[in-house]
Amino acid sequence: MLATDKIEEVLETVRPAIRQDGGDVELIDYDEAEGVVMLRLMGACETCPISMLTLREGIERRLKDRVPGVTRVAAV
């Protein structure tokens, strides 16, 4: 399984909660050499004051735990 497929699997586990609040998240790219996942926050997440907390404490933590090689998440 490709790393991007694994990343999408993890994102699918967090999307219901994000969508419940009117937002969404989209995988833009994965730099395998650097381990950086680039995500776009959409909908209510674009203007939410705690979206970076969600990104770091929720999404990044899950990705690091479940996808070997992921070192960080960046919002684009």
Side-chain angles (χ1 to χ4, degrees):
M1 179 180 281
L2 297 172
T4 53
D5 293 336
K6 291 179 186 177
I7 292 167
E8 282 291 354
E9 279 186 1
V10 173
L11 293 178
E12 282 303 316
T13 69
V14 298
R15 277 190 176 112
I18 293 171
R19 287 178 178 157
Q20 186 174 10
D21 290 331
D24 205 350
V25 61
E26 176 185 18
L27 174 62
I28 300 301
D29 197 11
Y30 174 55
D31 181 341
E32 205 162 343
E34 297 292 323
V36 179
V37 177
M38 286 150 267
L39 301 176
R40 176 179 298 137
L41 298 172
M42 302 181 301
C45 291
E46 291 179 278
T47 57
C48 179
I50 63 166
S51 63
M52 287 302 115
L53 180 64
T54 300
L55 188 73
R56 297 279 178 245
E57 297 300 321
I59 299 171
E60 183 177 78
R61 181 178 294 168
R62 285 185 189 202
L63 286 170
K64 284 178 161 181
D65 287 346
R66 298 178 185 167
V67 183
V70 171
T71 59
R72 70 181 180 95
V73 172
V76 294

